[in-house]
């Protein structure tokens, strides 16, 4: 599954991204990888603040929408308005909705329809694709 670099506001080559990101961030954000469950300290982060794209710093989620999904990945029931875009991911012999940063196209994770009220959605994000900025 790939997205076109030309459709995003921030455009960089793989070499430029590799200079800005750790190898794990590059694998997740730019190559659509997935970090191992329960490896991100952001999974259990519940202080007030904003979760930003680890690639470009765009605010994506607030702590007000974070919840403990029990999956081992940071989970939210709603993104900030206009922060994300989605595509259909047909990898791994299933169809899922992939979530991207709308500004740089970085792969953040997937969204599922098994979250809490009020949206009933679970934005299951890779912690390595996010930065937490406390209030």
């Amino acid at each position: 599954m790939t997205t076109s670099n030309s459709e995003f506001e921030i455009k960089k080559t793989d070499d430029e991204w590799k200079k800005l990101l750790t190898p794990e961030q590059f694998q997740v954000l730019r190559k659509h990888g997935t970090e191992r469950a329960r490896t991100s300290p952001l999974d259990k982060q519940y202080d007030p603040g904003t979760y930003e794209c680890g690639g470009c710093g765009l605010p994506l989620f607030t702590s007000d929408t974070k919840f403990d999904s029990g999956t081992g990945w940071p989970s939210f029931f709603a993104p900030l308005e206009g922060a994300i875009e989605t595509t259909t991911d047909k990898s791994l012999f299933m169809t899922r909705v992939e979530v991207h940063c709308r500004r740089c196209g970085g792969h953040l994770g997937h969204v599922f329809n098994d979250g809490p009220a009020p949206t009933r959605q679970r934005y299951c994000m890779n912690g390595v694709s996010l930065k937490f900025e406390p209030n």
Side-chain angles (χ1 to χ4, degrees):
M1 157 97 221
T2 61
T3 56
S4 169
N5 196 29
S6 63
E7 63 189 86
F8 299 104
E9 180 182 330
I10 295 178
K11 302 170 189 140
K12 297 185 184 303
T13 66
D14 279 355
D15 286 339
E16 290 171 321
W17 282 117
K18 284 178 181 179
K19 290 176 185 172
L20 295 172
L21 304 171
T22 68
E24 188 177 22
Q25 285 176 309
F26 180 80
Q27 182 60 31
V28 171
L29 283 163
R30 306 316 311 168
K31 297 299 178 185
H32 307 268
T34 301
E35 69 187 356
R36 285 190 358 256
R38 296 173 183 74
T39 59
S40 173
L42 294 182
D43 181 35
K44 299 301 182 192
Q45 169 65 262
Y46 291 101
D47 293 338
T50 303
Y51 294 82
E52 300 175 346
C53 176
C56 71
L58 180 71
L60 303 168
F61 300 93
T62 67
S63 56
D64 294 340
T65 64
K66 190 166 191 298
F67 69 99
D68 185 358
S69 66
T71 61
W73 288 282
S75 297
F76 306 84
F77 61 79
L80 290 168
E81 190 171 331
I84 62 134
E85 291 185 358
T86 60
T87 55
T88 301
D89 176 0
K90 292 187 177 187
S91 66
L92 302 177
F93 306 104
M94 63 181 112
T95 301
R96 300 178 290 173
V97 178
E98 185 172 357
V99 178
H100 304 272
C101 171
R102 70 121 179 109
R103 185 162 65 183
C104 73
H107 167 76
L108 304 170
H110 293 86
V111 62
F112 304 94
N113 292 319
D114 60 1
T119 66
R120 301 284 183 220
Q121 293 185 314
R122 173 175 51 97
Y123 287 83
C124 188
M125 303 293 99
N126 290 284
V128 73
S129 69
L130 304 172
K131 291 188 301 190
F132 178 71
E133 289 297 325
N135 286 351

